Amino acid sequence: MKTSPFAGLNGLRVSRETKERLEHFAALFQKWAKFINLIAPSTLDDLWRRHIVDSLQLAQLAPGPKTWVDLGSGGGFPGVITAIYLQEFSDGWVHLIESNNKKAAFLRVALTETGARGSVHPIRIEDASSVAPKCDAISARALADLSLLLDYSSPWLTAEGGKTVAYFHKGRDYQREIDKAVGRYAFDLVKHPSIVEPDSVVLEIANLSRRTQ
């Protein structure tokens, strides 16, 4: 891991090189966002806190080099941010799953220009396990209801002998989604308060199994 850490990013610590890569990504994102709808336009002015730092907190919750599958990567949150962080270790990898070809093109450029550790797969989420059959962690942000996320993630989270853990960013209505999901699935759950939004969380989910009717 590179030295020269700095304090910042809402208390998160990364190397100076990582900060420079994040700044390069932010500039690139602003450029592409003029032509492609990567995020809600109303949040573009708060790109750093609302999206980059929010994504980077996964580096604190699941530190170290891991193989990730990022579902519905969109504008790169959290997938590209995780891939940039992994460059600190020169190890680990992020499989970014994004079926929209324009967004996939942006993701490829972002990975190339920042030297991030990841690859883009322009396929449907339902087909993702064919290109990344094993992973240590799954991420998804602003993608779908928790029940659907568990459907998408079940190939990895229910694998026999597997130790895959999922990390899902969720907003203030997260408890309703949990209550709905437990009717169909059993799982271990840890709620991590967001360092960015006081009413939001990152749900850490493991040991998934489908309930029998």
Side-chain angles (χ1 to χ4, degrees), residues 137-149:
I138 304 167
S139 58
R141 183 176 179 270
L143 176 63
D145 182 91
L146 179 60
S147 293
L148 184 53
L149 289 177

Side-chain angles (χ1 to χ4, degrees), residues 146 174-175 178 182 187-191 202-206:
L146 179 60
Y174 68 88
Q175 190 58 53
I178 293 172
V182 296
F187 48 87
D188 295 340
L189 173 66
V190 180
K191 304 174 187 177
V202 176
L203 300 180
E204 178 181 339
I205 293 175

Side-chain angles (χ1 to χ4, degrees), residues 70-201:
D70 185 55
L71 302 176
S73 299
F77 308 114
V80 171
I81 306 305
T82 302
I84 289 173
Y85 165 72
L86 290 177
Q87 190 56 35
E88 294 199 1
F89 302 91
S90 297
D91 199 0
W93 199 258
V94 182
H95 295 279
L96 295 101
I97 311 300
E98 176 52 57
S99 62
N100 182 290
N101 287 326
K102 290 183 178 179
K103 292 179 180 178
F106 164 72
L107 294 172
R108 291 191 191 95
V109 172
L111 292 175
T112 299
E113 292 201 12
T114 61
R117 298 187 59 81
S119 53
V120 182
H121 306 282
I123 59 177
R124 298 171 69 246
I125 291 175
E126 293 85 347
D127 300 324
S129 61
S130 65
V131 297
K134 294 182 180 180
C135 66
D136 302 308
I138 304 167
S139 58
R141 183 176 179 270
L143 176 63
D145 182 91
L146 179 60
S147 293
L148 184 53
L149 289 177
L150 295 179
D151 290 343
Y152 288 153
S153 305
S154 61
W156 301 281
L157 291 178
T158 61
E160 184 176 355
K163 297 182 180 180
T164 303
V165 179
Y167 297 88
F168 299 139
H169 289 75
K170 284 296 173 183
R172 64 183 63 183
D173 200 28
Y174 68 88
Q175 190 58 53
R176 178 195 62 80
E177 295 189 33
I178 293 172
D179 293 342
K180 178 182 176 182
V182 296
R184 298 178 57 224
Y185 287 102
F187 48 87
D188 295 340
L189 173 66
V190 180
K191 304 174 187 177
H192 300 281
S194 170
I195 66 172
V196 173
E197 300 291 344
D199 295 330
S200 298
V201 296

